[in-house]
Amino acid sequence: MAPFDYLGAIETLHELRKSGERKSGLVVSLGERLLRDYTGKLGDEVWPVYEQVFISALDQGNDALAKTCFEKLEKRFPGSPRVKILEGMKLEAEDKLDEALRLYDEILEKDDSNIAASKRRVAVFKAKGQDQQAMETLSKYLDDFYNDAEGWLELSDLYLKFHLYQQAAFCLEELILLQPQNHFYHLKFAEILYTSDTSDNITLALKEFCRVVELCEDHVRALYGIKLVNYYYFNYFNSVI
Amino acid sequence: MPNYVITTKAYLKIILHACKHPFTSVNGILLAEEAFDGDSSDVKIIIVDVVPLFHHWASLTPMLEVGLQQVSVYANRNQLKMAGYYHANERADENKLPPFGQKIASKIQDNFHNSIALVVQNTKLSPNNPEIAIVPYIFKDNQWRPDNKAFSGPPSSFTLENSDIPSITSQSIFKRDFEVIYDFDEHLENVELDWLTNTKLAELMHGDKKRA
């Protein structure tokens, strides 16, 4: 059997922490092995890895692994608000949503600028199916922390769930202001505009699709978007003539 | 009302698509063959296959339009009809057909009168406990209504091709077959991926049949 490529595993976990991708299966399989046999090789990096594996273990329903990681973190960082957030996530995973909410509210009472607690509250409202509450809470959060791209993206998804295209488009405009070179936001903006189906918006959608191709050549979705808008205009002009 | 039969392939692909993307809603199109039921003049609609569409941005229309067009061409080429829509919701406790899904299902119904929708029951997906995890929706009295008595034997109009389908599906999930099912979203990111036929998955399924 090939020896476990622990350096590759450490690198992979590091990349996943940076990118924020949700690949819980991979993290659990690599992380479990690393934490069992290679903690020495991780050095100080072991703590973020414990946190990362904890969260992924919750995702996979691997309660035993989550418990192990949490106990290590709690022992090393007693009373830490960051570890308290993890405790909240564990409650969420156990479907104890009201308890989790209370925990996050307690954290915010002591420190109302705790971003993680504010955002987890939104997640709990979403999990409870209280989408209206989630939207309001997130909206208020973004009033204070308007640089939070992840927050704007999440709010746009909540608006889209209720077909509030204008509001969703507004979120995307904020995102484009924050990161104008990120083609992903132009793409999502273009698709929302096309969906809202007014002739002004379709014109803007075409501009945005073109912008995506400008920033990222051969982007298939954007190329299809350009084709669709042209088709729309072709039909429109045909019906007007 | 016609009789509907859901084949192993169709059922499996729906569930695997949902399993591949457990954090989001997924949807897709049902493809069917029409047949006549023995000596009676009843129409039998066999859902032989499905084409997985999206696992994100499912309520945005541009790629939906492109996807539906391509599925339509594919269906015609393979002498199949676009006979419905399937959907799996994001949250574990959401088991109804959402408004946007109803719109898509209605659109398909414009072209195929006997269209149905299949909604995955997220609470019944555990491979440790195989049970039928879909509920069909039919358009009656101007609304999409769930048929909660489906698959429970006559007089239900819905049957599974084979009563072992839930356990076959569980086996498939344990073997992680869902890693090779590709939908339109993934195709748009990598056009090499075959989302219409999903040949890799078909090979795995065929291999299972040989072994069984």
Side-chain angles (χ1 to χ4, degrees):
Chain A
M1 206 174 90
F4 180 62
D5 174 16
Y6 68 90
L7 284 172
I10 295 177
E11 180 61 32
T12 308
L13 290 185
H14 180 79
E15 288 302 309
L16 286 173
R17 285 200 299 281
K18 251 185 13 199
S19 72
E21 269 180 279
R22 194 170 178 176
K23 286 198 170 152
S24 311
L26 182 59
V27 171
V28 163
S29 65
L30 292 178
E32 199 172 19
R33 188 73 197 275
L34 277 177
L35 293 172
R36 198 181 64 205
D37 300 329
Y38 297 91
T39 41
K41 305 278 183 196
L42 282 165
D44 271 339
E45 212 179 326
V46 75
W47 305 112
V49 169
Y50 270 124
E51 187 184 31
Q52 185 184 19
V53 174
F54 168 77
I55 296 174
S56 294
L58 287 182
D59 240 0
Q60 297 283 99
N62 187 336
D63 295 328
L65 180 59
K67 189 157 181 268
T68 316
C69 294
F70 183 74
E71 280 169 356
K72 288 270 192 270
L73 286 163
E74 210 182 20
K75 194 166 164 208
R76 174 67 181 84
F77 303 103
S80 143
R82 190 161 160 177
V83 172
K84 227 133 177 67
I85 298 284
L86 298 181
E87 188 183 334
M89 287 175 83
K90 189 153 180 293
L91 289 171
E92 286 182 57
E94 291 164 354
D95 208 19
K96 296 179 181 155
L97 297 171
D98 290 318
E99 254 187 79
L101 208 50
R102 274 198 294 275
L103 189 145
Y104 297 135
D105 285 339
E106 263 172 44
I107 299 178
L108 285 167
E109 263 167 43
K110 292 195 191 125
D111 172 16
D112 65 359
S113 69
N114 188 318
I115 291 180
S118 300
K119 288 164 88 163
R120 282 325 304 171
R121 280 185 84 235
V122 176
V124 170
F125 288 133
K126 239 187 128 180
K128 284 172 116 198
Q130 292 172 355
D131 292 320
Q132 198 60 37
Q133 183 78 313
M135 286 194 278
E136 282 170 22
T137 313
L138 188 46
S139 222
K140 247 206 306 232
Y141 164 81
L142 287 166
D143 277 342
D144 294 328
F145 299 99
Y146 48 83
N147 284 336
D148 189 337
E150 192 184 56
W152 284 112
L153 214 46
E154 184 62 48
L155 185 57
S156 81
D157 281 338
L158 283 168
Y159 282 139
L160 284 176
K161 198 168 176 193
F162 292 95
H163 308 296
L164 300 168
Y165 298 118
Q166 213 183 341
Q167 287 87 326
F170 175 77
C171 295
L172 264 301
E173 285 174 331
E174 292 292 324
L175 282 164
I176 292 175
L177 279 173
L178 287 172
Q179 293 173 26
Q181 301 300 315
N182 188 335
H183 68 266
F184 184 81
Y185 300 142
H186 289 280
L187 179 69
K188 191 158 185 176
F189 188 42
E191 293 206 15
I192 293 173
L193 290 167
Y194 184 92
T195 307
S196 65
D197 205 21
T198 68
S199 107
D200 281 343
N201 281 350
I202 304 244
T203 312
L204 190 49
L206 178 60
K207 281 191 188 159
E208 289 296 319
F209 280 128
C210 289
R211 187 92 182 99
V212 178
V213 176
E214 205 181 6
L215 290 168
C216 173
E217 266 179 33
D218 72 15
H219 194 287
V220 180
R221 283 183 93 110
L223 291 170
Y224 269 129
I226 294 174
K227 188 169 181 198
L228 276 175
V229 177
N230 283 322
Y231 187 68
Y232 174 96
Y233 280 137
F234 184 71
N235 279 346
Y236 176 79
F237 287 130
N238 260 355
S239 65
V240 162
I241 291 168
Chain B
M1 191 172 116
N3 286 319
Y4 296 88
V5 179
I6 317 284
T7 57
T8 311
K9 189 174 183 187
Y11 183 95
L12 192 57
K13 272 172 142 178
I14 294 175
I15 305 298
L16 289 180
H17 189 208
C19 285
K20 187 171 188 187
H21 307 285
F23 320 122
T24 68
S25 53
V26 300
N27 61 14
I29 307 294
L30 309 176
L31 296 176
E33 283 172 1
E34 265 179 310
F36 285 97
D37 210 354
D39 19 80
S40 77
S41 55
D42 280 337
V43 172
K44 188 157 93 169
I45 295 177
I46 309 169
I47 311 284
V48 293
D49 201 355
V50 309
V51 180
L53 278 175
F54 301 117
H55 61 271
H56 60 66
W57 302 8
S59 57
L60 296 179
T61 52
M63 299 304 124
L64 177 63
E65 286 181 26
V66 177
L68 286 176
Q69 260 174 31
Q70 295 203 5
V71 175
S72 176
V73 170
Y74 175 77
N76 279 334
R77 227 178 256 167
N78 290 283
Q79 279 94 44
L80 295 171
K81 301 259 173 24
M82 282 172 61
Y85 169 78
Y86 77 82
H87 187 96
N89 281 306
E90 190 181 20
R91 286 208 329 272
D93 55 354
E94 266 180 315
N95 287 323
K96 301 206 187 93
L97 184 64
F100 197 74
Q102 292 176 27
K103 279 217 177 103
I104 303 178
S106 295
K107 189 113 205 288
I108 298 177
Q109 207 198 25
D110 288 342
N111 290 323
F112 186 77
H113 178 66
N114 289 317
S115 283
I116 57 170
L118 293 176
V119 177
V120 176
Q121 303 300 291
N122 295 330
T123 41
K124 297 190 176 170
L125 283 176
S126 169
N128 290 317
N129 198 7
E131 49 178 333
I132 301 179
I134 52 175
V135 164
Y137 276 64
I138 42 179
F139 195 72
K140 210 167 113 176
D141 303 330
N142 252 335
Q143 257 190 13
W144 284 99
R145 293 166 192 279
D147 180 350
N148 291 311
K149 295 213 178 76
F151 309 114
S152 57
S156 168
S157 321
F158 290 92
T159 45
L160 292 181
E161 180 188 39
N162 164 354
S163 56
D164 280 334
I165 287 180
S167 41
I168 295 175
T169 308
S170 293
Q171 293 308 311
S172 198
I173 296 176
F174 282 129
K175 282 193 294 113
R176 304 183 67 84
D177 285 346
F178 51 77
E179 285 173 354
V180 297
I181 189 170
Y182 302 114
D183 61 16
F184 191 41
D185 269 332
E186 286 160 322
H187 170 83
L188 288 169
E189 288 168 26
N190 175 1
V191 293
E192 278 182 6
L193 297 173
D194 168 23
W195 66 293
L196 287 165
T197 324
N198 266 293
T199 15
K200 264 203 189 147
L201 182 63
E203 280 166 21
L204 280 177
M205 286 174 65
H206 188 63
D208 285 345
K209 282 213 187 102
K210 276 204 193 137
R211 256 178 269 138

